[in-house]
Amino acid sequence: MSFGGASGNAKVFRPTPPDRGSFPLDHDGECQAHMQVYLDCLRSSRSRERVPPDCRLLAKEYLSCRMERGLMLKDEWANLGLPEDKKGSRVADVPENRS
Amino acid sequence: MPRIPVIQIHSYRVSAARCVRQRRCELRHLSTSPIASAAEHPTAKDSPHATMFNTPASGIDANIPLAKRMKELGITVGDLQREHARREQLKNRTSGYYALSLLVGTLALSYASVPFYRLLCQKTGWAGTPIAEGATITPDRLIPVDSNRKIIVRFESDVSRSLPWKFEPLQRQVTVTPGETALAFFKATNLSNQDIIGVATYNVTPDQIAPYFSKIQCFCFEQQQLRAGEQVDMPVFFFIDPDFDIDPQMKHIHEVVLNYTFFKAKTNASGQYLTVPDAAGNEIASQIPIAVSSSGA
């Protein structure tokens, strides 16, 4: 890194490591089906709006697939910003009709 | 209080009683000139030595010749010399111990400074060290902002020329709200017939959003091995900090480009991959690129 050279320059970009580290690679494609469903959902929504809640639930499906197969550390959904399994989740309370 | 006779010998002071008892004398200095010869010449009142010998001391008649006084108390010149030698030796030994302790202290400090510095950097993030203390993103940061704000995140990918991989994003863009987590995928294919290890870094444009762009989990900065001909999906789980919405300097930003670039992990002459530990003690490939990668290579 530039020692003292970039001090005062607020625009220097410093890549930071991810918070939980790196995903282990899914070499055997165990969760590929979930990924495909999620991507199809993204494409169908045309990305004109925010990621629709259905697609976020599919993302949750993908991540839970990873967790089950040991490709990701198990964690609470609240820590990942995804709706809990119970009803009355956080994500759904942002109204879609705002857009 | 019994008066302790004191003998003044060329500005030395000897506690005579103690000398007699313990054969040990209190001396401040010792001159090498024979003491007796000086005492042979009783001083006149106005000579320079007279002042010393005539200094009032309790119970001493300064006119008694010095040699006689010493003989009375049983002190010999040899005693005085031995005493001086003993004191010198003690002084030298003390300063020797001080010097040795200083040396040992400096050595210990120099050994302890390496882990101490590492700890300090990790805790304070000094000198650009990333603070890697486990999950620092708390659930309260992951609540979507209740506003109309939408950010379009586009994905770009690059591959270094020395890496025979095909690397592309699987979606062109994702629209997110600050505070909302999003999942995106990249696909990497090893086109060669060897197992290759690659390392990825990322870049976010515009630069101002970089402090707000947080990745919960991705595939960057760690070596990822692809077997020959293998194809694998690489997810990125990220979000934009909700404070982005209230920052007035970020009001004009609506699009973000997230660019991942894959490099080949460095190998030495015999084909072994080289790793270098970083400040946190983790092993990373030795050429983690920090500079901005060129888009559209």
Side-chain angles (χ1 to χ4, degrees), chain A residues 26-63:
Chain A
D26 185 8
H27 286 282
D28 304 324
E30 291 162 6
C31 297
Q32 202 169 10
H34 294 89
M35 179 196 78
Q36 213 47 53
V37 172
Y38 172 71
L39 290 175
D40 291 337
C41 175
L42 277 187
R43 261 177 232 130
S44 67
S45 70
R46 293 288 180 204
S47 306
R48 260 178 301 141
E49 304 170 355
R50 285 181 15 236
V51 181
D54 345 324
C55 292
R56 302 202 70 217
L57 291 175
L58 291 172
K60 189 177 156 199
E61 293 288 317
Y62 175 80
L63 292 177

Side-chain angles (χ1 to χ4, degrees), chain B residues 240-293:
Chain B
I240 297 178
D241 199 280
D243 286 343
F244 175 83
D245 195 38
I246 54 182
D247 190 339
Q249 288 178 347
M250 306 286 160
K251 269 209 184 325
H252 60 285
I253 296 180
H254 303 290
E255 281 193 20
V256 172
V257 177
L258 176 62
N259 180 325
Y260 273 89
T261 308
F262 251 103
F263 291 81
K264 190 167 176 216
K266 213 171 193 178
T267 58
N268 62 9
S270 58
Q272 278 184 325
Y273 284 98
L274 298 174
T275 54
V276 163
D278 65 358
N282 306 317
E283 295 229 321
I284 55 173
S286 56
Q287 100 261 40
I288 292 297
I290 306 291
V292 174
S293 61

Side-chain angles (χ1 to χ4, degrees), chain B residues 115-131:
Chain B
F116 173 70
Y117 183 69
R118 206 177 269 185
L119 193 70
L120 187 71
C121 279
Q122 274 186 33
K123 290 290 176 211
T124 63
W126 210 19
T129 312
I131 301 178

Side-chain angles (χ1 to χ4, degrees), chain B residues 40-51:
Chain B
E40 289 299 340
H41 309 287
T43 57
K45 283 262 193 269
D46 45 355
S47 79
H49 293 291
T51 52

